[in-house]
Amino acid sequence: MSDWKLPWTARCRCERVRIKISAPPLITMACHCAGCQRMTASAFSLSIAVPAEAFEVTQGAPVLGGLQSADRHHHCPFCKSWLFTRPSGLDFMVNVRASMLDDPSWFQPYVETSRAEGFPWAITGAKHSFPGIPDASAFGPLVAEYAQHGARPT
Ligand SMILES: [Zn+2]
Ligand SMILES: [Zn+2]
């Protein structure tokens, strides 16, 4: 179970920004928090945590959006798609928005967060569900489990 079919490419809605991912993800997530609902204009956000050194913007110049505070949310300057987040204090990873993948067909959220804020009908199928945002320490075992059992590109 090591064939991740890397590298992956991703793009914004208008295709002015392009991204390349060249290492396996640490974990995949859905977040039901009210902030993600507003940022996505939908029921929840989808993300793929990738090692920072394996993440590259290959075209375009993303700009900060969202609250422009500790968590740095990067968007396309033209179409304003929410592309990726560099979470505060977690410089080793980048949270890429799964919907931007050129081939998102294989994507499944392994963990869901802020379930308590979610719509009752918004079911993601995530293997692990947390009512809020778990402590960073909770992610170690989840990352190890995901490496073994996470869905791969088909
Ligand atoms: Zn764009
Ligand atoms: Zn959220």
Side-chain angles (χ1 to χ4, degrees):
M1 286 288 280
S2 61
D3 186 8
W4 291 94
K5 300 190 176 172
L6 295 158
W8 301 337
T9 52
R11 64 179 192 271
C12 65
R13 178 77 198 273
C14 76
E15 305 190 21
R16 283 173 171 81
V17 178
R18 291 183 182 275
I19 286 164
K20 186 168 89 173
I21 297 161
S22 53
L26 302 168
I27 204 151
T28 58
M29 292 174 284
C31 183
H32 297 267
C33 84
C36 283
Q37 290 179 21
R38 287 190 166 82
M39 295 267 285
T40 59
S42 189
F44 47 80
S45 68
L46 299 174
S47 62
I48 303 173
V50 300
E53 68 272 14
F55 172 86
E56 185 185 354
V57 174
T58 56
Q59 178 185 299
V63 296
L64 290 181
L67 296 179
Q68 307 197 24
S69 57
D71 289 330
R72 289 155 293 155
H73 300 298
H74 295 256
H75 298 244
C76 170
F78 186 83
C79 71
K80 308 298 197 285
S81 299
W82 181 19
L83 301 171
F84 60 93
T85 298
R86 294 184 183 275
S88 175
L90 300 172
D91 289 341
F92 62 91
M93 59 173 259
V94 179
N95 258 347
V96 183
R97 299 295 142 196
S99 318
M100 306 302 153
L101 287 175
D102 286 333
D103 175 17
S105 62
W106 59 271
F107 175 86
Q108 297 174 22
Y110 200 71
V111 171
E112 63 178 1
T113 56
S114 297
R115 177 64 261 185
E117 293 179 51
F119 292 96
W121 48 262
I123 306 301
T124 68
K127 185 135 191 256
H128 299 276
S129 185
F130 295 91
I133 306 285
D135 274 358
S137 62
F139 280 95
L142 293 171
V143 166
E145 188 185 311
Y146 177 81
Q148 291 296 313
H149 303 295
R152 266 63 169 164
T154 50

